């Protein structure tokens, strides 16, 4: 029979793969904003958010937190050290003061930091924002993101995520990731055991 009005009809699944270069976090934040805007517009054509709850599964090529010392100079609050992409997804907003906001993207110039932007530009730059209320499935279940989803010879860190629409979907279990000893037994990824340099993420989800 047809579902009751306002009840979930299906899950709207969004998958994306953001730009790979660590030196271009502003580009990734802009890409994520465009994905979220397109997602919201597409769902509006389908129906209501309650009928089409959202799941975002993505290789964001972005760590949960900023790590570069020049970036961290912009904040002394440990609650505001998230990377631009992560903050935009989790909080629904990325202010121009954040070093990963597109206003901080500078032309290549060896005489200046890529994180520096004239004060007047930041004052007039609008925030990136969206109305989707998203929550990381792994962070919800585990209390934080896993230590890594990508494990190579030159890089180890969390780049991949599952995001659920808060208030509509809730993760109650996630797939545990392999221990570091298992991954280093074959040097790194990919290996004869794990054929990709990225580890699979799985979440068990139910309606909230």
């Amino acid at each position: 029979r047809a579902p009751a009005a306002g009840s979930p009809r299906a899950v709207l699944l969004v998958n994306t793969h953001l730009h790979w270069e660590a030196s271009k976090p502003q580009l990734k934040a802009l890409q994520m904003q465009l994905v979220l805007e397109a997602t919201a517009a597409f769902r509006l054509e389908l129906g209501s958010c309650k009928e089409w709850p959202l799941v975002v599964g993505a290789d964001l090529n972005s760590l949960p937190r900023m790590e570069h010392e020049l970036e961290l100079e912009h904040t002394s609050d440990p609650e505001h050290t998230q990377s631009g992409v992560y903050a935009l997804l989790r909080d629904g907003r990325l202010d121009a003061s954040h070093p990963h906001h597109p206003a901080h993207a500078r032309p290549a110039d060896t005489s200046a930091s890529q994180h520096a932007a004239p004060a007047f530009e930041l004052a007039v730059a609008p925030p990136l924002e969206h109305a989707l209320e998203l929550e990381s499935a792994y962070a919800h279940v585990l209390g934080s993101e896993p230590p890594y989803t990508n494990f190579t010879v030159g890089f180890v860190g969390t780049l991949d995520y599952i995001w659920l629409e808060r208030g509509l979907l809730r993760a109650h279990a996630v797939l545990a990731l392999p221990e570091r000893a298992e991954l280093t037994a074959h040097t790194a990824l990919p290996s004869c055991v794990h054929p990709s340099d990225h580890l699979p993420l799985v979440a068990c989800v139910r309606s909230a």
Side-chain angles (χ1 to χ4, degrees), residues 33-102:
Q33 175 71 18
L34 294 174
V35 169
L36 295 170
E37 288 180 358
T39 297
F42 179 67
R43 184 168 64 178
L44 191 61
E45 297 178 6
L46 297 177
S48 71
C49 60
K50 291 184 178 180
E51 293 177 306
W52 297 90
L54 179 64
V55 177
V56 179
D59 176 356
L60 300 179
N61 272 316
S62 301
L63 294 165
R65 292 186 177 275
M66 297 184 292
E67 292 193 344
H68 197 286
E69 61 182 10
L70 290 176
E71 297 171 327
L72 294 174
E73 285 178 359
H74 290 260
T75 179
S76 58
D77 186 347
E79 288 300 313
H80 293 84
T81 59
Q82 287 80 23
S83 69
V85 169
Y86 196 92
L88 179 61
L89 281 159
R90 192 194 70 170
D91 303 331
R93 181 183 176 97
L94 186 67
D95 289 319
S97 59
H98 194 289
H100 290 180
H101 187 281

Side-chain angles (χ1 to χ4, degrees), residues 3-200:
S7 63
R9 302 172 63 90
V11 171
L12 179 57
L13 176 62
V14 175
N15 177 255
T16 191
H17 187 176
L18 301 187
H19 186 77
W20 65 274
E21 287 179 281
S23 62
K24 297 183 178 179
Q26 299 87 3
L27 173 60
K28 299 176 203 182
L30 182 58
Q31 287 179 327
M32 194 71 250
Q33 175 71 18
L34 294 174
V35 169
L36 295 170
E37 288 180 358
T39 297
F42 179 67
R43 184 168 64 178
L44 191 61
E45 297 178 6
L46 297 177
S48 71
C49 60
K50 291 184 178 180
E51 293 177 306
W52 297 90
L54 179 64
V55 177
V56 179
D59 176 356
L60 300 179
N61 272 316
S62 301
L63 294 165
R65 292 186 177 275
M66 297 184 292
E67 292 193 344
H68 197 286
E69 61 182 10
L70 290 176
E71 297 171 327
L72 294 174
E73 285 178 359
H74 290 260
T75 179
S76 58
D77 186 347
E79 288 300 313
H80 293 84
T81 59
Q82 287 80 23
S83 69
V85 169
Y86 196 92
L88 179 61
L89 281 159
R90 192 194 70 170
D91 303 331
R93 181 183 176 97
L94 186 67
D95 289 319
S97 59
H98 194 289
H100 290 180
H101 187 281
H104 291 267
R106 315 305 302 155
D109 182 354
T110 58
S111 65
S113 165
Q114 71 173 47
H115 307 292
F120 76 89
E121 289 187 14
L122 299 183
V124 300
L128 301 182
E129 53 189 343
H130 63 89
L132 303 172
E133 297 186 10
L134 300 173
E135 179 178 48
S136 165
Y138 270 75
H140 173 75
V141 174
L142 302 179
S144 63
E145 298 296 346
Y148 45 75
T149 63
N150 181 238
F151 201 103
T152 67
V153 172
F155 174 83
V156 175
T158 298
L159 302 177
D160 309 277
Y161 306 85
I162 298 174
W163 294 85
L164 308 175
E165 195 156 16
R166 189 183 298 111
L168 299 177
L169 299 173
R170 181 177 294 271
H172 59 89
V174 293
L175 177 68
L177 299 185
E179 295 291 338
R180 181 177 290 262
E182 178 182 341
L183 301 178
T184 57
H186 300 280
T187 304
L189 301 182
S191 70
C192 59
V193 178
H194 300 281
S196 172
D197 61 331
H198 290 257
L199 294 165

